[in-house]
Amino acid sequence: MHSDLNIYRLPDELLLDFEPGLTATVQERLEKFVVAADVQFVDVAPHYNLLSVQGPRSEELVHKLELGSELPAKNVAFVPLTIQLLANST
């Protein structure tokens, strides 16, 4: 075993979330099991981030961040969120 991973089912794709640095290893292993011709492996790591806020006041903190999204309805769930970051102009 190299790593555990989370699999997110998106409308047109599966997103595999695993430890950094294992992209080539995971891709090589999965390619052995591909039976369809229309499968692509794309490293999307530069386009995604993960925010984990934990603790008794985590809900309060997330609301203060005003991210424009509600918290997930269930534990161990996620909410897709797009945030436009502004570059520091100084």
Side-chain angles (χ1 to χ4, degrees), residues 10-57:
L10 304 178
D12 296 320
E13 61 194 349
L14 296 176
L15 179 64
L16 306 177
D17 179 21
F18 49 86
E19 295 298 319
L22 294 176
T23 302
T25 303
V26 171
Q27 182 173 340
E28 182 181 304
R29 184 158 207 161
L30 290 175
E31 284 175 342
K32 294 177 182 179
F33 301 100
V34 173
V35 294
D38 62 347
V39 173
Q40 295 180 35
F41 294 97
V42 179
D43 181 4
V44 296
H47 307 288
Y48 285 88
N49 287 297
L50 176 66
L51 172 64
S52 176
V53 183
Q54 303 171 16
R57 296 181 58 202

Side-chain angles (χ1 to χ4, degrees), residues 2 11-12 17-18 23 27 35 37 46 60 71 73-74 81 86-87 89:
H2 293 283
D12 296 320
D17 179 21
F18 49 86
T23 302
Q27 182 173 340
V35 294
E60 176 187 343
L71 294 174
K74 299 178 183 178
L81 182 66
L86 302 175
S89 59

Side-chain angles (χ1 to χ4, degrees), residues 43-84:
D43 181 4
V44 296
H47 307 288
Y48 285 88
N49 287 297
L50 176 66
L51 172 64
S52 176
V53 183
Q54 303 171 16
R57 296 181 58 202
S58 58
E59 186 172 345
E60 176 187 343
L61 175 63
V62 169
H63 285 295
K64 283 183 179 181
L65 292 174
E66 297 181 3
L67 298 174
S69 179
E70 292 298 316
L71 294 174
K74 299 178 183 178
N75 289 336
V76 192
F78 76 100
V79 174
L81 182 66
T82 302
I83 299 175
Q84 180 72 30

